[in-house]
Amino acid sequence: MPIVVQTLAGNVTKVLVSGRIDATGAAELESELRQLTATRTSLLVDLAGVAFLASMGLRSLVAGAQAMRGRGRMVLLSPQRAVAEVLAVSGVDNLIPVFFDEARAISAVGMPLG
Amino acid sequence: MDDPAVLHLQAERAEVARLHSWLAAAAADRRLPGDMLYGIEVALEEVVMNAILHGGIGGGDALITVALLAAPGAVEVRVEDPGRAFDPAGAPAPEVPRQLQGVVPGGAGLRLLRHFCPDISYERRDARNLLTLRFPLPPG
């Protein structure tokens, strides 16, 4: 599963995930997020290219957001309809903010920790 | 009723990739709509991963058997595993999490399963979990 990491202005790290986050993809995503959450403080996970997400992928995202707690922020960007449904039904959208506009996502993730 | 497509999986995480490719082929053979396939995939990944992670059979020789068949007005998926007894139809669903702290990753699975498959029946027979998931075909 392709994962591309970009550093944007303001020290925001964008993680572009594409393809299917099935059980195998979830393991790859979890290991990538584990590395990033250890060193970065503003993480934007772009899900626009993700065609499939289910319970294993949710675990990886929640584990990433938990690792960021207290030291940075992680948000999700532009999930496709079916992926957004999975985020909503599971309640994960309560835990990790979901944005459909990149500029808003960037300003949310760049906010100082309150 | 057609001949079921049947798959045997070892109880390990890497096998779930085979589950997804098998399901895609079985769905294509039966010309299932794409929206419907998504729901079946989410539900099946949850059931199979649950058996692997929580059934006490992970990494062993135990096999999980999955079958898919087209029934009148619905697609039926049956999952059989020799793991610990677990009835996802009767188990209380965990509450929707409100904050990250203390969230058990994976607690969302039961809610996902029931959302994508409202018709679930469960039976425990000969120390095996037998689960039948029915997905109604869209009208027309």
Side-chain angles (χ1 to χ4, degrees), chain B residues 21-99:
Chain B
S21 50
W22 169 83
L23 183 60
D29 283 349
R30 289 161 182 78
R31 298 197 173 86
L32 301 186
D35 274 8
M36 193 178 179
L37 174 62
Y38 196 98
I40 298 175
E41 281 198 275
V42 172
L44 252 189
E45 181 181 299
E46 173 54 30
V47 167
V48 169
M49 283 309 301
N50 207 50
I52 294 172
L53 295 175
H54 306 300
I57 53 174
D61 295 332
L63 291 179
I64 300 170
T65 302
V66 186
L68 179 146
L69 61 146
V75 171
E76 212 170 275
V77 179
R78 296 178 189 156
V79 183
E80 188 176 333
D81 74 81
R84 211 171 277 139
F86 178 65
D87 174 6
E95 285 183 21
V96 174
R98 298 280 169 214
Q99 54 180 22

Side-chain angles (χ1 to χ4, degrees), chain A residues 29-38 43 45 60-61 64 74:
Chain A
L29 178 62
E30 192 160 337
S31 119
E32 187 71 47
L33 288 179
R34 191 177 301 124
Q35 289 179 34
L36 291 171
T37 53
L43 222 51
V45 181
S60 305
L61 292 173
M74 176 174 138

